[in-house]
Amino acid sequence: MPNAQCPMPDARCPMPNAQCPMPDARCPIPNIMLLTISTTRVPATDLGYLLHKHPDRLQCFPMTFGQASVFYPEANADKCTAALLLDVDPVALVRGKSKSGDRPLEQYVNDRPYVASSFLSVALAQVFSTALSGRCKDRPELAETALPLTVKLSVLPCRGGEKFLRQMFEPLGYQVTAKPLILDEQFPEWGASPYFAVELQNTVRLADLLSHLYVLIPVLDDDKHYWVGDDEIEKLLRHGEGWLNAHPAREQIADRYLKRQRRLTRLAVAQLAEEDNTDPEKLEVSRALEEEVLEQRISLNEQRLEAVMTVLKASGAQRVVDLGCGEGKLLRLLLAESAIAQITGVDVSFRALEIAKERLQVDRFSPAQQSRLQLIQSSLIYRDSRLTDFDAATVIEVIEHLDLERLAAFERVLFEFVRPKFAIVTTPNVEYNVRFENLPTGKFRHRDHRFEWTRGEFQAWANGVAERFGFGVEFRSVGTEDLEVGSPTQMAIFTQSK
């Protein structure tokens, strides 16, 4: 670069002197958080179409923490390289923040402006948003094509060393080259740093590569510069769709991505486990439809919900939580009862809760109606401090979706931690399955059911739970009673012992 003050002269500079578009003081190199993406697929300049960034222009994008710049050090038919350089403003990082009491200099003296971190992930998502989503208006077929791609990260922190770096990328098909960076060239005795110059090679869709980087860069850094809450689970699942659930280190990835917040990690891992290498939305809709069609002839779902509402009205409950609320069918009936002051729907699936919001048309609620309804993403096998102080809890056709070895954890959540005054649990009666003409012998009603109990098995379980946790229990039948095999659904009503 012409600028004599440039800290990256000669070969270290990502842009040869003759191509430099920003000479002198305009040079964006002073902070060196640099990522390049290259391809050799002819014509290589197709990379510009995919990234929606023209190779002949330098483009700059303001960020809340500095500025991102995109330029092309090389762009010809045989090879094209796009560079994303992030110039992080150290002052912007601390503006409006209180000083750290334990380490007062940490907010001023740190590596954030110089290394690949969550700042780079945010820049990727904003600058390459269209490419990250897998869209290309001008060349849609190109967005679905696996390309030979090479990524270079000038300074990548890796808390866990090269072995951990390889554990992240190699299962995704990447060839990993990592060069350890020493702490200071003037003092080699100080040894290696936690930073690496990294090259990743793979033949993959550009959208997939960007998703891998978006998730794994902050995982390797083991930190994030912003507050991590429940909405971060949705980001992880969205950008991890199609690869994260099959990754051998998915739990470790979720834990680091969510800043080691145990509740969030458990929720994310529970949802990843549910996916089981399939599209979760399509799979759940398909399986639920199979069960609904099977039971449609006897209108069992309507009878089940009516039976639950009858018990709730008689109980006088004013605060009700529906555990495993799914797409909100029971919630709709609860909202129609003005005597019920507070309604909470809980489900492990973020997508199911989104569908519930759409079907209930929550966005059209008045402020008073919105204050009555709360939707919470949570797993039913982990304690959640938000799930307390309810008059009644409903668990409608849920327990049969749990692995038997996890049933004890669910029992503690419902009867020890949530501990409502009343709890209503329904589950299929497996004895009745012989009355469904289209159900093969030995098959459950829903392909995701882990078990289906006889009347005796259900009553033995419910009586045992009631005794252990201090509840009384009564049983009711739901649906038409068959003299030989009983009713299609069985219900247990638990009441706290006085």
Side-chain angles (χ1 to χ4, degrees):
M1 286 210 173
N3 187 354
Q5 302 301 317
C6 176
M8 297 186 72
D10 307 322
R12 290 192 297 146
C13 179
M15 181 161 286
N17 289 349
Q19 300 179 24
C20 178
M22 300 189 73
D24 308 320
R26 291 180 296 136
C27 175
I29 297 294
N31 291 328
I32 54 174
M33 188 189 295
L34 180 72
L35 174 147
T36 63
I37 302 173
S38 303
T39 186
T40 54
R41 178 186 183 273
V42 178
T45 48
D46 280 348
L47 184 62
Y49 284 104
L50 284 171
L51 292 173
H52 287 250
K53 303 293 180 287
H54 199 287
D56 291 340
R57 293 197 299 268
L58 169 75
Q59 298 183 53
C60 299
F61 305 85
M63 300 281 154
T64 57
F65 44 79
Q67 177 176 280
S69 302
V70 177
F71 55 91
Y72 287 75
E74 54 188 336
N76 54 63
D78 296 323
K79 185 177 181 182
C80 186
T81 299
L84 172 63
L85 188 139
L86 195 57
D87 183 12
V88 175
D89 180 1
V91 176
L93 298 185
V94 299
R95 186 179 291 121
K97 295 183 179 180
S98 61
K99 296 181 180 179
S100 170
D102 295 331
R103 292 172 290 183
L105 292 179
E106 182 178 6
Q107 57 182 331
Y108 298 100
V109 182
N110 57 64
D111 62 1
R112 299 299 85 184
Y114 313 105
V115 304
S117 66
S118 57
F119 291 106
L120 184 57
S121 287
V122 170
L124 283 171
Q126 294 186 25
V127 175
F128 298 141
S129 59
T130 304
L132 181 60
S133 67
R135 292 180 287 116
C136 182
K137 181 180 179 182
D138 296 327
R139 301 284 299 278
E141 77 288 348
L142 195 59
E144 296 301 319
T145 302
L147 308 175
L149 297 171
T150 299
V151 174
K152 293 183 179 180
L153 290 152
S154 56
V155 185
L156 178 65
C158 184
R159 322 294 176 180
E162 183 177 345
K163 181 179 179 181
F164 184 71
L165 170 68
R166 294 184 179 278
Q167 288 174 346
M168 294 297 101
F169 283 103
E170 287 183 345
L172 299 171
Y174 289 90
Q175 180 181 334
V176 179
T177 303
K179 178 184 177 182
L181 302 177
I182 64 174
L183 285 171
D184 194 311
E185 293 181 356
Q186 301 299 317
F187 301 95
E189 66 272 15
W190 289 0
S193 72
Y195 309 112
F196 292 81
V198 175
E199 179 178 292
L200 306 168
Q201 292 181 314
N202 199 0
T203 300
V204 64
R205 291 192 320 145
L206 178 63
D208 294 332
L209 178 139
L210 293 174
S211 293
H212 299 157
L213 294 175
Y214 178 89
V215 172
L216 294 179
I217 285 174
V219 167
L220 290 163
D221 185 37
D222 201 12
D223 194 13
K224 280 191 174 180
H225 70 277
Y226 57 86
W227 170 257
V228 170
D230 288 25
D231 60 339
E232 206 70 9
I233 297 176
E234 189 274 334
K235 291 182 186 178
L236 174 63
L237 298 179
R238 173 157 47 89
H239 292 293
E241 184 177 359
W243 63 272
L244 182 55
N245 62 326
H247 199 292
R250 68 183 186 185
E251 294 189 20
Q252 206 168 3
I253 291 171
D255 190 39
R256 285 193 174 201
Y257 185 88
L258 298 168
K259 292 190 73 170
R260 302 184 184 273
Q261 296 189 48
R262 293 180 61 191
R263 182 183 66 82
L264 298 182
T265 300
R266 287 168 175 169
L267 284 173
V269 171
Q271 290 200 60
L272 288 169
E274 281 192 344
E275 292 181 13
D276 195 25
N277 295 316
T278 60
D279 182 324
E281 180 181 349
K282 292 181 180 178
L283 179 63
E284 182 57 31
V285 169
S286 173
R287 290 177 173 177
L289 182 60
E290 290 177 8
E291 187 176 19
E292 189 172 323
V293 169
L294 182 69
E295 298 178 345
Q296 188 172 21
R297 182 176 59 84
I298 58 176
S299 302
L300 184 55
N301 187 53
E302 288 78 5
Q303 295 181 59
R304 196 156 42 221
L305 295 178
E306 182 180 344
V308 171
M309 289 302 299
T310 297
V311 175
L312 287 174
K313 291 176 186 178
S315 73
Q318 294 186 339
R319 291 174 52 82
V320 179
V321 58
D322 185 19
L323 300 173
C325 66
E327 298 172 6
K329 293 180 179 179
L330 180 61
L331 298 179
R332 183 183 299 278
L333 299 179
L334 293 170
L335 287 166
E337 293 296 324
S338 58
I340 301 177
Q342 184 63 50
I343 301 160
T344 299
V346 179
D347 205 282
V348 72
S349 170
F350 178 83
R351 179 57 182 157
L353 294 175
E354 288 295 298
I355 294 174
K357 288 181 183 178
E358 294 172 8
R359 293 187 173 180
L360 295 173
Q361 297 183 318
V362 172
D363 57 337
R364 298 185 181 181
F365 281 12
S366 67
Q369 287 177 311
Q370 290 184 2
S371 67
R372 288 182 66 207
L373 178 65
Q374 181 183 26
L375 296 177
I376 294 176
Q377 184 183 22
S378 187
S379 171
L380 303 189
I381 60 173
Y382 297 113
R383 181 178 182 176
D384 191 326
S385 60
R386 296 172 294 178
L387 303 180
T388 58
D389 193 27
F390 289 98
D391 299 322
T394 57
V395 189
I396 311 306
E397 307 297 285
V398 169
I399 61 172
E400 61 273 10
H401 293 267
L402 301 175
D403 292 321
L404 282 170
E405 59 268 23
R406 296 187 173 186
L407 205 54
F410 163 76
E411 293 166 6
R412 291 197 65 193
V413 168
L414 176 58
F415 296 103
E416 181 178 337
F417 301 134
V418 179
R419 196 165 181 81
K421 297 176 183 177
F422 299 92
I424 304 169
V425 178
T426 74
T427 192
N429 168 22
V430 70
E431 297 170 80
Y432 192 90
N433 286 358
V434 296
R435 298 293 186 257
F436 293 114
E437 296 178 359
N438 296 326
L439 186 64
T441 303
K443 295 291 185 180
F444 293 154
R445 298 181 202 178
H446 190 300
R447 281 187 287 165
D448 188 51
H449 286 183
R450 302 303 199 261
F451 62 87
E452 289 179 1
W453 277 333
T454 65
R455 288 166 289 176
E457 288 170 332
F458 179 58
Q459 290 180 19
W461 171 80
N463 283 321
V465 166
E467 183 178 353
R468 287 196 301 276
F469 294 99
F471 282 78
V473 62
E474 64 171 295
F475 301 96
R476 295 187 187 179
S477 299
V478 178
T480 303
E481 188 91 22
D482 185 291
L483 293 178
E484 183 179 350
V485 296
S487 63
T489 291
Q490 43 194 341
M491 174 190 288
I493 304 168
F494 297 88
T495 307
Q496 271 195 43
S497 301
K498 298 294 184 179

